[in-house]
Amino acid sequence: MTVTTRQQQAARLQAMGIQVWVSREVTEDTSDLETPAETARENVVAPPVLPSAEPEPPPVVSEARVENTGAGNTQVDTAWVDEEPPLPTDDFMPGLDISEMSSQPAPAIDISSLDWPELQVAVSSCTACELHKTRTQTVFGVGDHAAEWMIIGEAPGADEDQQGEPFVGRAGQLLNNMLKALGLQREQVFIANILKCRPPENRNPQPEEIVHCEAFLQRQVALVKPKVILAVGGVAAHNLLKVDTAVSKLRGQLHHYGETPLVVTYHPAYLLRKPSEKRKSWADLKFAAAVVRGEQS
Ligand code: SF4
């Protein structure tokens, strides 16, 4: 991207009231940048802001992201489906009270006309909700900007917050293996989350945070134009579909996010906790693949 184009984008964002901080390197030619996460990191110059040491009430910990801290799962293909299940648990991905969301304020800025570079800058400089105070960096999303598959999860965990990329750690490795089983590389899909900033202590996203962040994801979907959205986990499914139905009842059906077909499945972190559900998730992936091929409508 040329200096002039980036300056024009910065001027557009500043005209929209968005404060744009651009590092000295960004004024140089960065046209060889491949991923949104890389570009976003280039654009962020604010130093990491660590969580406050002040005592806070015990957080509600997200089941979806608490697993993203261990060693990698190196199995490939459908071997991820056949692992022995551990002790069963009745724990499930906690959902949100969707009924509270309709009264929340709209996103602070209109980003519906932004292209990828402007959108990345808007996300990296966003202070629309309190999460900007505790994030290390924003987690924009990664992958093919013209992908057929869009994978949407919940929110960054500790590893994602540090690395600036969604779905890393053990859950990310399992997601990679699930994609490989479909004949897809991670780079061939676009991966994003409902929230772009990490909730402290892996607590659940709050409704007001989701409402403020929603426009970014909507714009990403509009730009990618995927053939299918795979909503992984309850938080993603509930907020994309505006329902609070259990994932077990949402999966196996074709939903829509706007005009885009959407399939619900379990979050990889949940599958790490309950491998006996992997076969159901594999069925969901095959169902989504049929949607991509135009065999389901
Ligand atoms: Fe902005 Fe979303 Fe981060 Fe909140 S979570 S500060 S709305 S980018």
Side-chain angles (χ1 to χ4, degrees):
M1 178 175 300
T2 66
V3 172
T4 301
T5 302
R6 187 168 293 282
Q7 289 173 337
Q8 290 171 340
Q9 291 165 348
R12 289 184 62 187
L13 289 166
Q14 287 171 344
M16 296 163 60
I18 304 170
Q19 183 178 5
V20 180
W21 293 349
V22 181
S23 67
R24 188 169 298 168
E25 291 78 3
V26 175
T27 61
E28 300 172 356
D29 183 3
T30 56
S31 58
D32 58 338
L33 293 179
E34 292 294 332
T35 68
E38 290 169 348
T39 305
R41 285 193 292 273
E42 289 284 343
N43 289 340
V44 175
V45 295
V49 180
L50 298 177
S52 169
E54 296 178 3
E56 296 179 351
V60 178
V61 175
S62 166
E63 298 285 348
R65 285 167 288 115
V66 72
E67 298 288 350
N68 293 350
T69 55
N73 179 340
T74 57
Q75 289 188 317
V76 298
D77 297 329
T78 55
W80 66 271
V81 178
D82 297 322
E83 294 173 354
E84 287 296 319
L87 293 175
T89 173
D90 292 334
D91 291 347
F92 196 69
M93 314 250 319
L96 293 173
D97 184 355
I98 303 302
S99 63
E100 296 179 5
M101 296 185 60
S102 60
S103 62
Q104 297 302 315
I109 58 173
D110 177 11
I111 62 168
S112 60
S113 64
L114 300 185
D115 208 340
W116 286 109
E118 298 164 319
L119 187 60
Q120 290 165 0
V121 172
V123 169
S124 65
S125 59
C126 179
T127 57
C129 81
E130 294 295 300
L131 295 182
H132 79 278
K133 296 179 180 177
T134 52
R135 71 188 179 209
T136 300
Q137 59 190 309
T138 54
V139 180
F140 181 79
V142 293
D144 185 350
H145 288 178
E148 293 184 334
W149 290 69
M150 192 159 176
I151 316 298
I152 300 179
E154 176 183 331
D159 292 343
E160 288 82 3
D161 177 66
Q162 289 295 319
Q163 299 182 35
E165 182 168 335
F167 283 92
V168 296
R170 291 182 65 212
Q173 288 291 332
L174 179 54
L175 176 64
N176 292 348
N177 291 339
M178 294 162 69
L179 294 172
K180 285 178 184 176
L182 292 164
L184 293 169
Q185 297 298 312
R186 180 180 172 94
E187 296 75 20
Q188 292 177 276
V189 306
F190 192 87
I191 307 173
N193 280 315
I194 295 286
L195 290 186
K196 309 307 183 194
C197 302
R198 180 198 181 200
E201 308 299 330
N202 287 339
R203 67 158 169 76
N204 275 337
Q206 298 299 304
E208 64 272 18
E209 295 162 355
I210 292 172
V211 170
H212 280 304
C213 214
E214 190 173 33
F216 292 134
L217 182 62
Q218 289 173 342
R219 186 58 186 156
Q220 287 177 315
V221 173
L223 287 169
V224 174
K225 299 181 179 67
K227 289 185 176 179
V228 70
I229 291 172
L230 187 68
V232 295
V235 171
H238 295 161
N239 287 285
L240 291 171
L241 298 176
K242 305 304 182 191
V243 299
D244 57 3
T245 309
V247 170
S248 60
K249 291 184 170 58
L250 292 172
R251 55 172 298 276
Q253 309 171 41
L254 183 59
H255 307 275
H256 286 83
Y257 179 74
E259 299 294 318
T260 307
L262 184 150
V263 172
V264 175
T265 194
Y266 297 113
H267 195 286
Y270 174 73
L271 296 176
L272 289 172
R273 290 169 46 82
K274 198 166 184 181
S276 60
E277 300 286 55
K278 287 182 177 179
R279 290 190 177 279
K280 294 178 182 175
S281 194
W282 176 232
D284 298 333
L285 295 181
K286 290 189 292 185
F287 179 58
V291 173
V292 171
R293 293 193 301 268
E295 298 170 3
Q296 294 283 347
S297 59

